[in-house]
Amino acid sequence: MFDPHGPIARSIATHGWWLLLMSIAVYLVVMVALLIALGRRRREIDDQPETTRRLTRNVSIAVALTVVILVGIAASSVVSGRGIYSPSGAGAVTVDVVGHQWWWDFQYHDVTPSDVFTSPNELHIPVGLPVVIKAMSTDVIHSFWVPNLMGKRDLIPGIVTNTWIQADEPGVYRGQCAEFCGHQHAHMALEVVAEPMNTFQAWIRHQREPAAEPATDEERRGKDVFMQSTCVTCHAIRGTDAGSHLGPELTHVASRLTIAAGTLPNARGHLAGWIANSQSIKPGNRMPPNALTPDDLQAVLAYVRSLR
Amino acid sequence: MSEFVHPVERRMTISAADEERLRTQLERTWYVPRGIIGWCSVADHKTMGKRYIVTAFCFFTFAGILAGLMRLQLAVPNNHFIGPDLYNQIFTVHGTMMMFLFAVPVMEALGVYLVPLMVGTRNIAFPRLNAFSYYVYLFGGVMLVVTMLLNTAPDVGWFSYVPLAGPDYTPGKRADFWAQLITFTEVAALAVSVELVATIFKARAPGMSLNRMPLFVWSMLVTALMVIFAMPSIVTCSSFLLLDRLVGTHFYNPAEGGDSLLWQHLFWFFGHPEVYIIFVPALGIVSSIISAFTWRPIFGYSAMVMSLVATGFIGFGLWVHHMFATGLPALGLEYFTAASIVIAIPTGIQIFCWIASLWRGRPRFHTPLVFVLGFFAIFVLGGLSGVTLASVPFDLQVHDSYYVVAHFHYVLLGGAVFPLIGGIYFWFPKMTGRLMDDRLGKVNFWLLFIGFNITFFPMHILGLEGMPRRVYTYPDNMGWNTLNLVSSLGALLLVVGGALFVYNVVRSYRWGLAGSDNPWGAETLEWSMSSPPPVYNFLHIPVVEGRCALWDRSADAPIVTGIRSDVREVLISDVMDAEPINVAEYPEPSIWPFLCAVVTSGFFIGSIFTPWALPVSILPLAVTLIGWFWPKKRDRERAIEEQDEDRRLHDAA
Amino acid sequence: MTPPDAATMRPPDTRRVLDVSVLPRTVFGHQGLIWWGTAGFMVIEGSIFVIALVVYFYLRLQVTDWPPSLPNPGLFYGTLNLATVLLSLLPAYIAKTKAEKFDLAGVRLWLTILVLFGVAAVVIRAFEYFALNCRWDDNAYGSIVWTLLSMHTIHVATDVVDSMVLLTLALTGPNTKTRFVDYSENSLYWYFIVAWWVPIYVTIYLMPRWL
């Protein structure tokens, strides 16, 4: 919250700083009043009518001040709230944010159905433009939160709500699920990659492509192992026979920054560990351990890492 | 309406021998039974109140140990000390136990113990219902402890959001234990609330009109009424959850016309008032302590009462501020921002009035008052962070982050537990006849105060830095490591402070300095009898002459006579002015409420496993209830007495 | 410095007393304590009914058709039950007045009639379930309709059993005067149950036709 990189986060941060400073000021005033009340030099209980009159007056003033401050806070929060409910311009892109136990799917809309694609756990947005988000979930309630860019929006099964996101500078911003969603709520992170428009469009073009064909023998063998093992019961790779959408799509998995919803960097060693036994890394996740021979595992790794 | 018969005012001589006879007879009449069966038959509000308090503190300790385990796990990033399965059970049971088995019951328990003493009556209204509610609460709590020890505890959070807690995403029985625990505690809390309301409205000593009622009694009245109106909501929503899980209804299933937000509305319609249900009694404790240690009535009595009542009402209009991130319409959210901010006003009024009281009086810094001062330092901060949370845009950032964890621990621990511990130090001499060690008490205070702030203050910053709640671990590179470690070290101090409190209680109970009837020179009626109070509470029911029952008592204060001492008669007065209007007879101790609670608990637990629990337990339930209400020896005696009386009146006519 | 309490003072030789021995030992209505217990539980149960009704309308807003792809509930048995319980207010009322006059014979007679009405209501209620034309697990509509009806049935059945126990007590004794307060409160509780049947009846049977 202290490090905003988008209009929503900035607006909230300004408002938030104001709230925090106001709270600190009020706190100090109340504590000083309390300390004076305690430390007052007096020998006897002070029952003078004059004291009572003064106290009544002071308490009334304090209550009136409280009301004024609270009205100020309410007004400020309505004003800054109005600013973040809807974007200043039309959305450059519309993305469905779909929550799953325990990963994210970002589905990019397009007028051409064949140009619709999904990007698990990695949301790419163009810098400086609002992106419309349609928030939804297929299982339990999750909450989409990228602290540097925006506040939370719950993903609720059966309900689709709209919000928006915008980054003003290129960069990678981490986000995380903020509504308790079961076992691996702690490991349900995501990256928002904000990039200049031309890079973003290149990325879009690339993502629309089907998966790369395996180039080496090892990769070809890896593809065979992949297609014959349990992998295909959950994962899809466009351009191949694997078409199940229970788990994240792997068409361009090698191009992503992390694996397992922001849990590990996308490196060969981590990926090997993940494929062999993801339960030791993210206990309770939906992917079963895979008892592959070392050779098969190496082959699958080579294939998956070729899916750029 | 029949016209009132007025009691007769006169003068009479009451000799020391008369008083002695009265005392002996009252002791025999209001006896507390002994033996195992006797133990289960007690209907005395003081015994039950003490059991309630001790039980609640046991659950507090258990839940506190769970919190310590969580801090151990979170002390360093990527920790493998506790896995997600266990961690999720731990934080769920911690929250559930603290809210449902400690905070609400302990406050009501204090009410059960103190309210009859403060309003000047011999027992709580419906004493056997009171016993029943205690056992139901006890059995429900034990059930939760057992599930935790068997590693089958609920793991869906104390809020149990659907669909996560629904049949599809939490198979097994874990969520059912949670939902049924709610049933247990709600039955208990609702019963106690009805007893408290009836006691406060109908059993006050003559002269204690509503505008002379002690602030603690006012706060218990507001609390009990809030329970009565808030808890039906969670009874409904948790029953719907059980039905969804057990018999396949679709209340929360969007695929069949149900709705998952319905749960959140119902839950928070209870859940927000719940916070005030915990906090309002603490306000009463604070008022009691401040007036006792400044020897002056609280400044602005009427403003205080109106603030309490206003808090009770406004508390029901805020529930959506837990749902700002769900995407509800903006206008609605703004209304709830306004309502949430408005509730700060009555709280502010009370804080200012207390400061004025301290200003006017001459504070004596004994442990209870020191805890109240700690309450100020912590609670004001928690209240202010609460105001910031009411602001929609700010809340969207910090909602469900550690900022919220910090906030509600400041409000609940600072706002309720600090006054509560102060209250234990304050009333301990009344309950046991011995004072708690004051020097140890102050060490105890500083340990808890410093430990608390070290544990929870860093969480504000963690939340603002983006650390979400309810995560069993966090990555290494987020910059959260130092503050989490500091927080965990603070928790160590809290544990030491808690242990010292227990030590002080145990030590003082055995070897503490003997206290007088009124060691603090306090104003309310509970300080007028010996410590600990006799079973019958008051030798003579007093007539209250002012707002501060003891301080305003004149040299020739009247007392009530004409209440039979050979049967359990109590004076019933009218709601507004506490004019005596009739005399009721309270029941004898009985084993039936205990048996009924056993059967009820069996039914609740059995219904987790099979709907057949209902038909199976109907018969035993009916038997215990009929046994409960079946005429006893005393009813037969009374019928004869009444016939004799009628005959005498008839002859006289 | 001492507290402002005059704890040290000695009681005078004669004391002012407020003699309450003349006060009644048995009272009906809100002057007595029992009424407050009954009222407290009526408020709690009433709140639960209110919330369940709110849920009904909340669920109505979630879908377009009402009842969703199910036939309307049949009117006959629900209406018959409405008539039955409304009629039963009469014996309940008379039993209450008899109780408040300590008229044991009257209480026995009218409590018996009230029990018969209650049993009739329970029997008719059984047929109502078949006339709902839905099951609790069909959809959310079925769930809430079954729940509303069952919540009310539990109240009716409980009070019928309660009335039976009281009737037994009225027949066997001992009939203390406070027992007559129980007879009177029983009718009060029956009013409460009958009163709630009106909005629940309207919701279950008429709302699907109107909404």
Side-chain angles (χ1 to χ4, degrees):
Chain A
M1 193 203 118
F2 290 135
D3 188 19
H5 288 276
I8 305 179
R10 195 160 22 249
S11 161
I12 296 178
T14 314
H15 173 66
W17 273 115
W18 192 85
L19 283 180
L20 291 180
L21 291 179
M22 181 63 90
S23 306
I24 293 168
V26 172
Y27 184 75
L28 290 178
V29 170
V30 175
M31 286 304 116
V32 167
L34 176 65
L35 288 177
I36 297 177
L38 293 175
R40 243 175 119 226
R41 286 183 181 280
R42 72 286 227 190
R43 239 174 278 122
E44 274 305 322
I45 290 166
D46 189 349
D47 257 352
Q48 309 293 327
E50 177 55 26
T51 315
T52 311
R53 245 197 318 281
R54 246 194 17 245
L55 284 175
T56 313
R57 197 193 60 211
N58 290 350
V59 167
S60 312
I61 292 174
V63 172
L65 269 177
T66 314
V67 173
V68 170
I69 293 173
L70 291 174
V71 169
I73 290 176
S76 150
S77 103
V78 167
V79 170
S80 67
R82 284 288 158 95
I84 63 174
Y85 290 140
S86 46
S88 44
V93 193
T94 300
V95 185
D96 283 355
V97 174
V98 189
H100 298 274
Q101 278 181 323
W102 295 280
W103 58 284
W104 308 85
D105 212 4
F106 301 108
Q107 294 171 355
Y108 285 73
H109 284 229
D110 200 282
V111 279
T112 327
S114 63
D115 282 350
V116 175
F117 66 91
T118 94
S119 164
N121 300 323
E122 203 167 293
L123 175 66
H124 285 245
I125 57 173
V127 165
L129 289 172
V131 171
V132 175
I133 283 176
K134 295 171 100 66
M136 59 191 85
S137 166
T138 55
D139 42 40
V140 304
I141 300 176
H142 305 275
S143 193
F144 180 73
W145 184 31
V146 187
N148 301 109
L149 299 181
M150 63 180 292
K152 295 171 189 71
R153 174 50 59 95
D154 289 351
L155 314 177
I156 303 169
I159 301 174
V160 178
T161 60
N162 284 346
T163 183
W164 63 294
I165 189 170
Q166 180 177 336
D168 287 342
E169 296 137 57
V172 177
Y173 306 102
R174 187 175 183 275
Q176 191 166 356
C177 178
E179 184 59 80
F180 180 67
C181 55
H183 254 73
Q184 280 299 343
H185 168 59
H187 287 135
M188 183 167 165
L190 64 117
E191 270 85 36
V192 176
V193 180
E195 48 204 3
M197 196 56 179
N198 48 357
T199 324
F200 172 70
Q201 275 167 346
W203 178 81
I204 292 251
R205 274 194 301 278
H206 178 67
Q207 294 292 314
R208 284 176 183 159
E209 304 281 318
E213 278 304 314
T216 68
D217 283 349
E218 192 180 31
E219 287 167 19
R220 266 187 290 277
R221 207 169 74 75
K223 183 178 177 181
D224 291 343
V225 175
F226 187 97
M227 296 301 159
Q228 284 154 21
S229 68
T230 52
C231 307
V232 289
T233 51
C234 299
H235 293 289
I237 300 176
R238 268 180 292 130
T240 73
D241 295 339
S244 170
H245 282 93
L246 291 176
E249 186 178 306
L250 301 177
T251 311
H252 297 286
V253 62
S255 71
R256 300 207 279 265
L257 296 167
T258 62
I259 57 170
T263 308
L264 295 169
N266 192 354
R268 191 183 172 95
H270 290 309
L271 193 57
W274 180 260
I275 294 172
N277 188 1
S278 65
Q279 295 300 329
S280 66
I281 297 163
K282 196 167 159 178
N285 87 81
R286 296 287 153 84
M287 181 157 149
N290 289 292
L292 297 172
T293 64
D295 282 356
D296 283 355
L297 179 61
Q298 292 305 322
V300 169
L301 273 176
Y303 173 61
V304 170
R305 288 188 59 78
S306 77
L307 298 173
R308 301 203 169 276
Chain B
M1 199 52 59
S2 62
E3 69 277 22
F4 285 112
V5 182
H6 289 287
V8 186
E9 278 187 68
R10 54 190 163 93
R11 300 197 75 88
M12 66 184 279
T13 316
I14 300 173
S15 70
D18 290 340
E19 294 217 324
E20 202 44 52
R21 255 196 312 282
L22 182 62
R23 181 170 291 127
T24 319
Q25 189 156 48
L26 281 173
E27 261 166 22
R28 200 165 45 224
T29 306
W30 292 87
Y31 73 101
V32 171
R34 304 203 173 276
I36 294 174
I37 293 178
W39 197 90
C40 301
S41 311
V42 175
D44 174 53
H45 76 101
K46 297 176 293 298
T47 313
M48 296 319 288
K50 279 190 285 190
R51 281 186 203 167
Y52 244 122
I53 294 173
V54 171
T55 314
F57 268 99
C58 289
F59 290 133
F60 180 64
T61 310
F62 188 83
I65 292 170
L66 295 179
L69 292 174
M70 283 193 278
R71 277 325 311 172
L72 265 179
Q73 164 69 11
L74 293 177
V76 291
N78 292 321
N79 198 355
H80 289 291
F81 172 60
I82 297 173
D85 183 64
L86 186 57
Y87 187 89
N88 293 345
Q89 293 181 57
I90 287 179
F91 87 71
T92 301
V93 174
H94 169 75
T96 306
M97 202 170 262
M98 285 296 192
M99 294 299 266
F100 292 107
L101 293 174
F102 169 66
V104 176
V106 81
M107 294 301 180
E108 292 208 309
L110 217 51
V112 166
Y113 189 93
L114 289 171
V115 163
L117 296 173
M118 278 196 188
V119 302
T121 185
R122 297 208 196 279
N123 201 350
I124 195 165
F126 317 121
R128 294 191 295 188
L129 183 64
N130 184 41
F132 169 78
S133 69
Y134 168 73
Y135 296 116
V136 167
Y137 156 73
L138 175 70
F139 296 147
V142 168
M143 177 192 79
L144 188 67
V145 171
V146 169
T147 62
M148 185 73 238
L149 297 178
L150 294 178
N151 200 21
T152 54
D155 59 348
V156 286
W158 86 277
F159 45 93
S160 279
Y161 272 10
V162 292
L164 180 61
D168 295 339
Y169 297 99
T170 304
K173 295 296 173 197
R174 287 179 171 188
D176 302 297
F177 285 121
W178 181 87
Q180 209 54 293
L181 175 86
I182 301 305
T183 316
F184 272 108
T185 57
E186 304 314 284
V187 167
L190 284 166
V192 173
S193 299
V194 171
E195 296 151 17
L196 286 175
V197 170
T199 310
I200 294 170
F201 274 154
K202 296 304 288 179
R204 299 199 306 277
M208 191 187 276
S209 49
L210 280 184
N211 61 349
R212 284 177 178 175
M213 231 159 66
L215 286 170
F216 179 83
V217 178
W218 267 109
S219 73
M220 286 315 304
L221 177 64
V222 171
T223 305
L225 289 173
M226 286 185 85
V227 168
I228 286 175
F229 285 101
M231 296 228 171
S233 177
I234 194 166
V235 169
T236 315
C237 81
S238 69
S239 308
F240 286 178
L241 176 63
L242 270 179
L243 290 174
D244 268 13
R245 295 181 56 89
L246 291 176
V247 298
T249 54
H250 297 290
F251 289 106
Y252 305 122
N253 180 1
E256 292 289 353
D259 182 49
S260 45
L261 278 186
L262 171 62
W263 170 270
Q264 297 190 21
H265 283 294
L266 289 174
F267 184 81
W268 291 117
F269 184 76
F270 144 81
H272 201 82
E274 163 92 346
V275 177
Y276 291 94
I277 287 166
I278 294 167
F279 170 60
V280 168
L283 300 176
I285 300 175
V286 170
S287 292
S288 298
I289 292 178
I290 290 184
S291 89
F293 290 95
T294 54
W295 280 336
R296 267 290 162 273
I298 294 292
F299 181 86
Y301 176 88
S302 314
M304 295 292 287
V305 169
M306 282 190 285
S307 300
L308 284 173
V309 175
T311 306
F313 275 103
I314 305 171
F316 283 93
L318 322 175
W319 79 94
V320 169
H321 84 208
H322 298 265
M323 300 166 63
F324 281 162
T326 52
L328 292 170
L331 192 66
L333 300 189
E334 281 155 10
Y335 161 77
F336 282 98
T337 292
S340 311
I341 281 177
V342 164
I343 203 162
I345 297 172
T347 313
I349 292 174
Q350 296 182 68
I351 301 271
F352 301 140
C353 285
W354 285 323
I355 292 181
S357 308
L358 289 166
W359 187 290
R360 185 170 64 168
R362 185 163 182 262
R364 295 171 298 147
F365 295 97
H366 293 287
T367 307
L369 186 66
V370 173
F371 269 96
V372 166
L373 298 177
F375 151 83
F376 278 108
I378 297 172
F379 172 72
V380 173
L381 204 156
L384 286 165
S385 64
V387 171
T388 66
L389 283 171
S391 158
V392 177
F394 188 75
D395 180 72
L396 289 178
Q397 271 291 15
V398 294
H399 177 68
D400 274 334
S401 78
Y402 261 85
Y403 186 87
V404 176
V405 180
H407 157 70
F408 70 72
H409 282 94
Y410 266 74
V411 176
L412 290 176
L413 265 168
V417 177
F418 270 71
L420 174 71
I421 295 182
I424 298 286
Y425 274 92
F426 181 59
W427 280 298
F428 191 83
K430 179 49 65 185
M431 295 180 181
T432 65
R434 290 176 189 277
L435 290 157
M436 279 177 77
D437 190 305
D438 199 56
R439 188 176 306 163
L440 217 51
K442 282 175 185 153
V443 177
N444 187 192
F445 168 77
W446 285 110
L447 276 174
L448 289 177
F449 184 77
I450 296 171
F452 173 84
N453 283 293
I454 296 180
T455 310
F456 293 103
F457 192 80
M459 291 185 185
H460 288 109
I461 303 168
L462 282 170
L464 291 172
E465 286 178 350
M467 180 164 166
R469 290 170 78 174
R470 300 164 184 148
V471 290
Y472 76 99
T473 188
Y474 52 93
D476 192 10
N477 53 359
M478 300 299 297
W480 302 336
N481 300 4
T482 316
L483 288 175
N484 269 303
L485 185 61
V486 168
S487 172
S488 294
L489 291 175
L492 207 63
L493 271 187
L494 271 181
V495 170
V496 176
L500 190 67
F501 174 68
V502 174
Y503 170 73
N504 199 356
V505 167
V506 173
R507 203 186 83 136
S508 308
Y509 183 74
R510 300 296 301 271
W511 300 289
L513 271 172
S516 62
D517 294 358
N518 190 356
W520 316 114
E523 55 166 321
T524 35
L525 280 177
E526 80 272 24
W527 300 105
S528 66
M529 79 274 303
S530 65
S531 306
V535 282
Y536 48 83
N537 293 355
F538 295 87
L539 188 62
H540 306 288
I541 299 298
V543 175
V544 175
E545 294 170 306
R547 202 167 267 169
C548 301
L550 299 186
W551 298 346
D552 295 342
R553 178 182 277 184
S554 65
D556 192 16
I559 52 169
V560 176
T561 61
I563 303 176
R564 282 173 62 175
S565 53
D566 57 337
V567 293
R568 299 190 166 210
E569 278 196 347
V570 288
L571 188 60
I572 301 299
S573 46
D574 92 317
V575 176
M576 298 297 291
D577 303 325
E579 286 282 335
I581 48 175
N582 60 75
V583 176
E585 200 177 315
Y586 280 179
E588 300 274 314
S590 157
I591 187 77
W592 288 105
F594 173 79
L595 297 177
C596 189
V598 170
V599 174
T600 309
S601 305
F603 163 56
F604 285 163
I605 295 175
S607 63
I608 292 176
F609 298 96
T610 163
W612 290 103
L614 179 64
V616 169
S617 36
I618 271 188
L619 191 63
L621 200 58
V623 168
T624 51
L625 278 173
I626 292 169
W628 184 335
F629 291 104
W630 200 253
K632 307 288 185 302
K633 180 162 144 274
R634 172 65 199 138
D635 292 273
R636 287 189 286 278
E637 284 169 15
R638 188 167 171 170
I640 295 165
E641 279 170 17
E642 282 170 356
Q643 281 165 14
D644 293 349
E645 176 73 17
D646 285 349
R647 201 169 300 127
R648 197 164 60 244
L649 286 175
H650 184 74
D651 293 349
Chain C
M1 197 161 132
T2 54
D5 165 27
T8 48
M9 70 202 174
R10 276 191 40 209
D13 296 337
T14 62
R15 298 188 68 170
R16 281 167 66 200
V17 298
L18 196 60
D19 187 350
V20 297
S21 55
V22 292
L23 293 186
R25 263 51 183 173
T26 307
V27 284
F28 296 94
H30 66 86
Q31 292 184 8
L33 192 64
I34 303 295
W35 185 90
W36 286 84
T38 319
F41 283 99
M42 289 197 305
V43 169
I44 292 168
E45 288 153 28
S47 305
I48 295 179
F49 279 131
V50 168
I51 291 163
L53 289 175
V54 168
V55 168
Y56 179 94
F57 293 102
Y58 183 95
L59 290 172
R60 170 67 193 94
L61 295 176
Q62 307 300 314
V63 289
T64 46
D65 287 345
W66 198 255
S69 59
L70 288 167
N72 282 333
L75 273 179
F76 177 71
Y77 288 107
T79 315
L80 180 64
N81 213 349
L82 183 65
T84 312
V85 293
L86 286 179
L87 216 58
S88 75
L89 288 177
L90 191 68
Y93 174 76
I94 300 176
K96 193 170 190 312
T97 43
K98 297 289 179 197
E100 284 164 24
K101 288 184 197 140
F102 301 110
D103 174 356
L104 186 59
V107 167
R108 283 173 178 166
L109 173 65
W110 290 99
L111 206 52
T112 313
I113 296 173
L114 182 60
V115 166
L116 292 177
F117 267 99
V119 171
V122 172
V123 172
I124 299 171
R125 182 55 55 82
F127 289 97
E128 282 188 65
Y129 280 97
F130 294 102
L132 283 180
N133 293 326
C134 66
R135 272 170 58 94
W136 67 90
D137 55 359
D138 283 342
N139 52 32
Y141 160 83
S143 308
I144 187 65
V145 166
W146 270 74
T147 306
L148 275 171
L149 193 64
S150 301
M151 279 164 62
H152 194 261
T153 307
I154 290 172
H155 279 80
V156 174
T158 310
D159 203 49
V160 169
V161 173
D162 191 32
S163 303
M164 285 174 177
V165 173
L166 285 178
L167 182 59
T168 318
L169 290 179
L171 293 170
T172 59
N175 281 289
T176 58
K177 288 186 175 170
T178 45
R179 190 63 74 198
F180 287 87
V181 179
D182 297 342
Y183 302 143
S184 155
E185 298 290 323
N186 183 53
S187 288
L188 178 70
Y189 195 71
W190 185 253
Y191 294 166
F192 164 79
I193 292 171
V194 172
W196 269 107
W197 182 235
V198 178
I200 295 177
Y201 167 81
V202 169
T203 305
I204 293 182
Y205 292 99
L206 303 183
M207 283 302 159
R209 293 172 162 81
W210 294 346
L211 288 174

